[in-house]
Amino acid sequence: MLPAYGMGELLNTAELLASELVTNAYRHTKGPAFLRLRGLGGLDAEPRSGVRVTVWDTDPHVPSPFDKPPARSGSPGAGQGQGQVEQVDERSLGGRGLLLVQEWADRWGGCLLGDDLFGRGGKLLWFELESRSAADVKAVA
């Protein structure tokens, strides 16, 4: 889908990070999960090109550091004030998914959802990847 919208350079990273969040939803929750892709254009006043990937699941636990205010990779708050994903034993076969999201996404965050009419509640974890061409244009401007 991303190449069809001129964002083919984001495909591999988006697939990797989305698979990490979906895998966590599958492994750590007992209810359904949902994945959504949305273009960044129109999400805020700042014109951007890229994609936001959101994963919803029914578990109300928002893992650290996604339980903190949204962070931006490479920003002073990311990785310090925003919190860090717990370090994993280097011999472990798992436990690095959220660290990958934290390191590779341009922005990331999460939020707890209250109970809705259908009693689902749960949480949302999300990340954003900006098209490098759009980021380069903003840096020059």
mmCIF file of all heavy atoms in Angstrom, residues 28-63:
data_model
loop_
_atom_site.group_PDB
_atom_site.id
_atom_site.type_symbol
_atom_site.label_atom_id
_atom_site.label_comp_id
_atom_site.label_asym_id
_atom_site.label_seq_id
_atom_site.Cartn_x
_atom_site.Cartn_y
_atom_site.Cartn_z
ATOM 1 N N HIS A 28 0.337 -11.039 24.158
ATOM 2 C CA HIS A 28 0.108 -10.558 25.525
ATOM 3 C C HIS A 28 -1.336 -10.189 25.843
ATOM 4 O O HIS A 28 -1.591 -9.667 26.930
ATOM 5 C CB HIS A 28 1.023 -9.369 25.810
ATOM 6 C CG HIS A 28 2.477 -9.689 25.665
ATOM 7 N ND1 HIS A 28 3.140 -10.530 26.538
ATOM 8 C CD2 HIS A 28 3.389 -9.320 24.733
ATOM 9 C CE1 HIS A 28 4.403 -10.646 26.149
ATOM 10 N NE2 HIS A 28 4.574 -9.927 25.063
ATOM 11 N N THR A 29 -2.257 -10.415 24.912
ATOM 12 C CA THR A 29 -3.662 -10.126 25.194
ATOM 13 C C THR A 29 -4.514 -11.338 24.845
ATOM 14 O O THR A 29 -4.099 -12.211 24.097
ATOM 15 C CB THR A 29 -4.174 -8.901 24.408
ATOM 16 O OG1 THR A 29 -4.183 -9.200 23.020
ATOM 17 C CG2 THR A 29 -3.309 -7.689 24.649
ATOM 18 N N LYS A 30 -5.704 -11.357 25.388
ATOM 19 C CA LYS A 30 -6.605 -12.483 25.134
ATOM 20 C C LYS A 30 -7.742 -12.121 24.189
ATOM 21 O O LYS A 30 -8.502 -12.969 23.768
ATOM 22 C CB LYS A 30 -7.173 -12.986 26.451
ATOM 23 C CG LYS A 30 -6.084 -13.530 27.355
ATOM 24 C CD LYS A 30 -6.667 -14.252 28.523
ATOM 25 C CE LYS A 30 -5.685 -14.808 29.502
ATOM 26 N NZ LYS A 30 -4.325 -14.891 29.212
ATOM 27 N N GLY A 31 -7.879 -10.855 23.864
ATOM 28 C CA GLY A 31 -8.985 -10.416 23.014
ATOM 29 C C GLY A 31 -8.532 -10.098 21.607
ATOM 30 O O GLY A 31 -7.393 -10.381 21.222
ATOM 31 N N PRO A 32 -9.406 -9.470 20.849
ATOM 32 C CA PRO A 32 -9.071 -9.105 19.475
ATOM 33 C C PRO A 32 -8.058 -7.957 19.428
ATOM 34 O O PRO A 32 -7.807 -7.286 20.424
ATOM 35 C CB PRO A 32 -10.413 -8.677 18.882
ATOM 36 C CG PRO A 32 -11.219 -8.240 20.059
ATOM 37 C CD PRO A 32 -10.765 -9.098 21.211
ATOM 38 N N ALA A 33 -7.490 -7.761 18.261
ATOM 39 C CA ALA A 33 -6.567 -6.651 18.009
ATOM 40 C C ALA A 33 -6.899 -6.069 16.641
ATOM 41 O O ALA A 33 -7.534 -6.726 15.816
ATOM 42 C CB ALA A 33 -5.123 -7.122 18.058
ATOM 43 N N PHE A 34 -6.449 -4.847 16.409
ATOM 44 C CA PHE A 34 -6.775 -4.142 15.176
ATOM 45 C C PHE A 34 -5.574 -3.318 14.746
ATOM 46 O O PHE A 34 -4.934 -2.676 15.584
ATOM 47 C CB PHE A 34 -7.990 -3.238 15.438
ATOM 48 C CG PHE A 34 -8.420 -2.410 14.275
ATOM 49 C CD1 PHE A 34 -9.129 -2.966 13.225
ATOM 50 C CD2 PHE A 34 -8.130 -1.067 14.241
ATOM 51 C CE1 PHE A 34 -9.529 -2.185 12.156
ATOM 52 C CE2 PHE A 34 -8.529 -0.274 13.180
ATOM 53 C CZ PHE A 34 -9.235 -0.840 12.135
ATOM 54 N N LEU A 35 -5.264 -3.326 13.468
ATOM 55 C CA LEU A 35 -4.163 -2.545 12.893
ATOM 56 C C LEU A 35 -4.753 -1.510 11.953
ATOM 57 O O LEU A 35 -5.650 -1.822 11.163
ATOM 58 C CB LEU A 35 -3.216 -3.467 12.117
ATOM 59 C CG LEU A 35 -2.139 -2.789 11.271
ATOM 60 C CD1 LEU A 35 -1.033 -2.251 12.162
ATOM 61 C CD2 LEU A 35 -1.575 -3.764 10.258
ATOM 62 N N ARG A 36 -4.230 -0.287 12.030
ATOM 63 C CA ARG A 36 -4.700 0.778 11.140
ATOM 64 C C ARG A 36 -3.509 1.554 10.604
ATOM 65 O O ARG A 36 -2.606 1.917 11.365
ATOM 66 C CB ARG A 36 -5.616 1.724 11.894
ATOM 67 C CG ARG A 36 -6.125 2.852 11.035
ATOM 68 C CD ARG A 36 -7.035 3.766 11.801
ATOM 69 N NE ARG A 36 -7.566 4.775 10.910
ATOM 70 C CZ ARG A 36 -8.259 5.807 11.300
ATOM 71 N NH1 ARG A 36 -8.523 5.975 12.574
ATOM 72 N NH2 ARG A 36 -8.696 6.683 10.437
ATOM 73 N N LEU A 37 -3.524 1.819 9.318
ATOM 74 C CA LEU A 37 -2.539 2.677 8.665
ATOM 75 C C LEU A 37 -3.239 3.960 8.256
ATOM 76 O O LEU A 37 -4.357 3.917 7.740
ATOM 77 C CB LEU A 37 -1.979 2.023 7.405
ATOM 78 C CG LEU A 37 -1.263 0.701 7.568
ATOM 79 C CD1 LEU A 37 -1.024 0.079 6.210
ATOM 80 C CD2 LEU A 37 0.041 0.902 8.295
ATOM 81 N N ARG A 38 -2.572 5.095 8.464
ATOM 82 C CA ARG A 38 -3.159 6.374 8.066
ATOM 83 C C ARG A 38 -2.049 7.307 7.611
ATOM 84 O O ARG A 38 -1.008 7.417 8.270
ATOM 85 C CB ARG A 38 -3.906 6.986 9.250
ATOM 86 C CG ARG A 38 -4.556 8.288 8.897
ATOM 87 C CD ARG A 38 -5.445 8.772 9.991
ATOM 88 N NE ARG A 38 -6.061 10.017 9.562
ATOM 89 C CZ ARG A 38 -6.699 10.828 10.355
ATOM 90 N NH1 ARG A 38 -6.831 10.537 11.622
ATOM 91 N NH2 ARG A 38 -7.217 11.932 9.908
ATOM 92 N N GLY A 39 -2.280 7.983 6.518
ATOM 93 C CA GLY A 39 -1.321 8.967 6.038
ATOM 94 C C GLY A 39 -1.229 10.131 6.998
ATOM 95 O O GLY A 39 -2.213 10.491 7.656
ATOM 96 N N LEU A 40 -0.037 10.733 7.101
ATOM 97 C CA LEU A 40 0.160 11.841 8.038
ATOM 98 C C LEU A 40 -0.436 13.150 7.550
ATOM 99 O O LEU A 40 -0.694 14.033 8.351
ATOM 100 C CB LEU A 40 1.657 12.043 8.308
ATOM 101 C CG LEU A 40 2.346 10.922 9.070
ATOM 102 C CD1 LEU A 40 3.825 11.255 9.245
ATOM 103 C CD2 LEU A 40 1.692 10.692 10.414
ATOM 104 N N GLY A 41 -0.621 13.305 6.261
ATOM 105 C CA GLY A 41 -1.195 14.531 5.739
ATOM 106 C C GLY A 41 -2.544 14.806 6.367
ATOM 107 O O GLY A 41 -3.431 13.958 6.357
ATOM 108 N N GLY A 42 -2.716 15.966 6.986
ATOM 109 C CA GLY A 42 -3.990 16.319 7.588
ATOM 110 C C GLY A 42 -4.136 15.938 9.048
ATOM 111 O O GLY A 42 -5.144 16.266 9.663
ATOM 112 N N LEU A 43 -3.155 15.247 9.652
ATOM 113 C CA LEU A 43 -3.272 14.895 11.067
ATOM 114 C C LEU A 43 -3.033 16.090 11.979
ATOM 115 O O LEU A 43 -3.503 16.125 13.100
ATOM 116 C CB LEU A 43 -2.290 13.772 11.436
ATOM 117 C CG LEU A 43 -2.670 12.371 10.991
ATOM 118 C CD1 LEU A 43 -1.609 11.372 11.436
ATOM 119 C CD2 LEU A 43 -4.021 11.964 11.539
ATOM 120 N N ASP A 44 -2.273 17.059 11.499
ATOM 121 C CA ASP A 44 -2.045 18.261 12.289
ATOM 122 C C ASP A 44 -1.798 19.425 11.338
ATOM 123 O O ASP A 44 -1.866 19.274 10.128
ATOM 124 C CB ASP A 44 -0.881 18.078 13.278
ATOM 125 C CG ASP A 44 0.380 17.557 12.604
ATOM 126 O OD1 ASP A 44 0.596 17.837 11.409
ATOM 127 O OD2 ASP A 44 1.156 16.874 13.286
ATOM 128 N N ALA A 45 -1.507 20.575 11.882
ATOM 129 C CA ALA A 45 -1.335 21.770 11.060
ATOM 130 C C ALA A 45 -0.059 21.729 10.224
ATOM 131 O O ALA A 45 0.046 22.412 9.219
ATOM 132 C CB ALA A 45 -1.334 23.013 11.949
ATOM 133 N N GLU A 46 0.909 20.946 10.641
ATOM 134 C CA GLU A 46 2.190 20.867 9.945
ATOM 135 C C GLU A 46 2.085 19.890 8.771
ATOM 136 O O GLU A 46 1.749 18.722 8.956
ATOM 137 C CB GLU A 46 3.248 20.370 10.931
ATOM 138 C CG GLU A 46 4.643 20.326 10.375
ATOM 139 C CD GLU A 46 5.623 19.810 11.425
ATOM 140 O OE1 GLU A 46 5.318 19.899 12.630
ATOM 141 O OE2 GLU A 46 6.666 19.312 11.021
ATOM 142 N N PRO A 47 2.332 20.354 7.538
ATOM 143 C CA PRO A 47 2.238 19.439 6.397
ATOM 144 C C PRO A 47 3.365 18.405 6.445
ATOM 145 O O PRO A 47 4.541 18.755 6.527
ATOM 146 C CB PRO A 47 2.370 20.355 5.181
ATOM 147 C CG PRO A 47 3.061 21.573 5.676
ATOM 148 C CD PRO A 47 2.719 21.694 7.138
ATOM 149 N N ARG A 48 2.980 17.136 6.467
ATOM 150 C CA ARG A 48 3.957 16.053 6.532
ATOM 151 C C ARG A 48 3.549 14.960 5.560
ATOM 152 O O ARG A 48 2.383 14.788 5.258
ATOM 153 C CB ARG A 48 4.038 15.464 7.933
ATOM 154 C CG ARG A 48 4.469 16.446 8.980
ATOM 155 C CD ARG A 48 4.649 15.791 10.328
ATOM 156 N NE ARG A 48 3.349 15.496 10.932
ATOM 157 C CZ ARG A 48 3.173 14.531 11.820
ATOM 158 N NH1 ARG A 48 4.165 13.769 12.199
ATOM 159 N NH2 ARG A 48 1.982 14.323 12.354
ATOM 160 N N SER A 49 4.538 14.201 5.133
ATOM 161 C CA SER A 49 4.292 13.035 4.298
ATOM 162 C C SER A 49 4.838 11.827 5.030
ATOM 163 O O SER A 49 5.996 11.813 5.439
ATOM 164 C CB SER A 49 4.994 13.199 2.942
ATOM 165 O OG SER A 49 4.840 12.028 2.174
ATOM 166 N N GLY A 50 4.012 10.842 5.222
ATOM 167 C CA GLY A 50 4.431 9.645 5.931
ATOM 168 C C GLY A 50 3.218 8.839 6.334
ATOM 169 O O GLY A 50 2.120 9.018 5.797
ATOM 170 N N VAL A 51 3.418 7.965 7.308
ATOM 171 C CA VAL A 51 2.349 7.069 7.733
ATOM 172 C C VAL A 51 2.333 6.945 9.251
ATOM 173 O O VAL A 51 3.378 7.003 9.900
ATOM 174 C CB VAL A 51 2.502 5.674 7.074
ATOM 175 C CG1 VAL A 51 3.759 4.979 7.542
ATOM 176 C CG2 VAL A 51 1.284 4.802 7.303
ATOM 177 N N ARG A 52 1.129 6.836 9.804
ATOM 178 C CA ARG A 52 0.946 6.503 11.214
ATOM 179 C C ARG A 52 0.360 5.096 11.259
ATOM 180 O O ARG A 52 -0.635 4.811 10.601
ATOM 181 C CB ARG A 52 0.009 7.460 11.928
ATOM 182 C CG ARG A 52 -0.261 7.011 13.383
ATOM 183 C CD ARG A 52 -1.194 7.931 14.109
ATOM 184 N NE ARG A 52 -0.408 9.045 14.634
ATOM 185 C CZ ARG A 52 -0.833 9.849 15.604
ATOM 186 N NH1 ARG A 52 -2.022 9.684 16.132
ATOM 187 N NH2 ARG A 52 -0.065 10.828 16.028
ATOM 188 N N VAL A 53 0.993 4.235 12.047
ATOM 189 C CA VAL A 53 0.519 2.869 12.242
ATOM 190 C C VAL A 53 0.038 2.765 13.686
ATOM 191 O O VAL A 53 0.772 3.096 14.612
ATOM 192 C CB VAL A 53 1.639 1.837 11.966
ATOM 193 C CG1 VAL A 53 1.164 0.431 12.250
ATOM 194 C CG2 VAL A 53 2.151 1.966 10.529
ATOM 195 N N THR A 54 -1.204 2.327 13.844
ATOM 196 C CA THR A 54 -1.814 2.204 15.167
ATOM 197 C C THR A 54 -2.255 0.765 15.381
ATOM 198 O O THR A 54 -2.847 0.158 14.487
ATOM 199 C CB THR A 54 -3.046 3.127 15.281
ATOM 200 O OG1 THR A 54 -2.655 4.456 14.974
ATOM 201 C CG2 THR A 54 -3.638 3.082 16.673
ATOM 202 N N VAL A 55 -1.963 0.236 16.559
ATOM 203 C CA VAL A 55 -2.427 -1.103 16.930
ATOM 204 C C VAL A 55 -3.248 -0.965 18.203
ATOM 205 O O VAL A 55 -2.785 -0.407 19.196
ATOM 206 C CB VAL A 55 -1.253 -2.086 17.133
ATOM 207 C CG1 VAL A 55 -1.756 -3.429 17.643
ATOM 208 C CG2 VAL A 55 -0.473 -2.264 15.839
ATOM 209 N N TRP A 56 -4.482 -1.454 18.137
ATOM 210 C CA TRP A 56 -5.370 -1.481 19.282
ATOM 211 C C TRP A 56 -5.491 -2.912 19.776
ATOM 212 O O TRP A 56 -5.507 -3.851 18.975
ATOM 213 C CB TRP A 56 -6.756 -0.965 18.887
ATOM 214 C CG TRP A 56 -7.818 -1.285 19.904
ATOM 215 C CD1 TRP A 56 -8.110 -0.577 21.030
ATOM 216 C CD2 TRP A 56 -8.719 -2.396 19.889
ATOM 217 N NE1 TRP A 56 -9.135 -1.177 21.720
ATOM 218 C CE2 TRP A 56 -9.526 -2.307 21.025
ATOM 219 C CE3 TRP A 56 -8.911 -3.467 19.024
ATOM 220 C CZ2 TRP A 56 -10.506 -3.234 21.325
ATOM 221 C CZ3 TRP A 56 -9.894 -4.398 19.326
ATOM 222 C CH2 TRP A 56 -10.684 -4.269 20.462
ATOM 223 N N ASP A 57 -5.532 -3.083 21.096
ATOM 224 C CA ASP A 57 -5.858 -4.389 21.666
ATOM 225 C C ASP A 57 -6.648 -4.179 22.950
ATOM 226 O O ASP A 57 -6.802 -3.047 23.414
ATOM 227 C CB ASP A 57 -4.615 -5.267 21.871
ATOM 228 C CG ASP A 57 -3.656 -4.720 22.899
ATOM 229 O OD1 ASP A 57 -4.080 -4.409 24.037
ATOM 230 O OD2 ASP A 57 -2.457 -4.609 22.584
ATOM 231 N N THR A 58 -7.153 -5.264 23.519
ATOM 232 C CA THR A 58 -8.063 -5.168 24.662
ATOM 233 C C THR A 58 -7.375 -5.085 26.017
ATOM 234 O O THR A 58 -8.028 -4.846 27.016
ATOM 235 C CB THR A 58 -9.014 -6.376 24.675
ATOM 236 O OG1 THR A 58 -8.246 -7.573 24.707
ATOM 237 C CG2 THR A 58 -9.923 -6.371 23.467
ATOM 238 N N ASP A 59 -6.068 -5.280 26.064
ATOM 239 C CA ASP A 59 -5.355 -5.228 27.340
ATOM 240 C C ASP A 59 -5.184 -3.773 27.771
ATOM 241 O O ASP A 59 -4.667 -2.955 27.012
ATOM 242 C CB ASP A 59 -3.985 -5.889 27.180
ATOM 243 C CG ASP A 59 -3.220 -5.963 28.488
ATOM 244 O OD1 ASP A 59 -3.775 -5.637 29.551
ATOM 245 O OD2 ASP A 59 -2.043 -6.352 28.447
ATOM 246 N N PRO A 60 -5.578 -3.416 28.997
ATOM 247 C CA PRO A 60 -5.457 -2.025 29.431
ATOM 248 C C PRO A 60 -4.046 -1.609 29.853
ATOM 249 O O PRO A 60 -3.814 -0.442 30.141
ATOM 250 C CB PRO A 60 -6.420 -1.948 30.619
ATOM 251 C CG PRO A 60 -6.447 -3.330 31.160
ATOM 252 C CD PRO A 60 -6.292 -4.242 29.969
ATOM 253 N N HIS A 61 -3.092 -2.526 29.879
ATOM 254 C CA HIS A 61 -1.729 -2.179 30.287
ATOM 255 C C HIS A 61 -0.967 -1.545 29.122
ATOM 256 O O HIS A 61 -0.780 -2.163 28.085
ATOM 257 C CB HIS A 61 -0.980 -3.418 30.770
ATOM 258 C CG HIS A 61 0.471 -3.146 31.036
ATOM 259 N ND1 HIS A 61 0.899 -2.367 32.088
ATOM 260 C CD2 HIS A 61 1.579 -3.525 30.359
ATOM 261 C CE1 HIS A 61 2.222 -2.290 32.051
ATOM 262 N NE2 HIS A 61 2.654 -2.983 31.011
ATOM 263 N N VAL A 62 -0.536 -0.292 29.318
ATOM 264 C CA VAL A 62 0.291 0.404 28.329
ATOM 265 C C VAL A 62 1.739 0.240 28.775
ATOM 266 O O VAL A 62 2.119 0.736 29.835
ATOM 267 C CB VAL A 62 -0.076 1.896 28.224
ATOM 268 C CG1 VAL A 62 0.815 2.592 27.206
ATOM 269 C CG2 VAL A 62 -1.546 2.060 27.857
ATOM 270 N N PRO A 63 2.562 -0.476 27.982
ATOM 271 C CA PRO A 63 3.936 -0.743 28.423
ATOM 272 C C PRO A 63 4.803 0.515 28.408
ATOM 273 O O PRO A 63 4.583 1.422 27.617
ATOM 274 C CB PRO A 63 4.442 -1.768 27.399
ATOM 275 C CG PRO A 63 3.630 -1.518 26.187
ATOM 276 C CD PRO A 63 2.280 -1.055 26.675
#
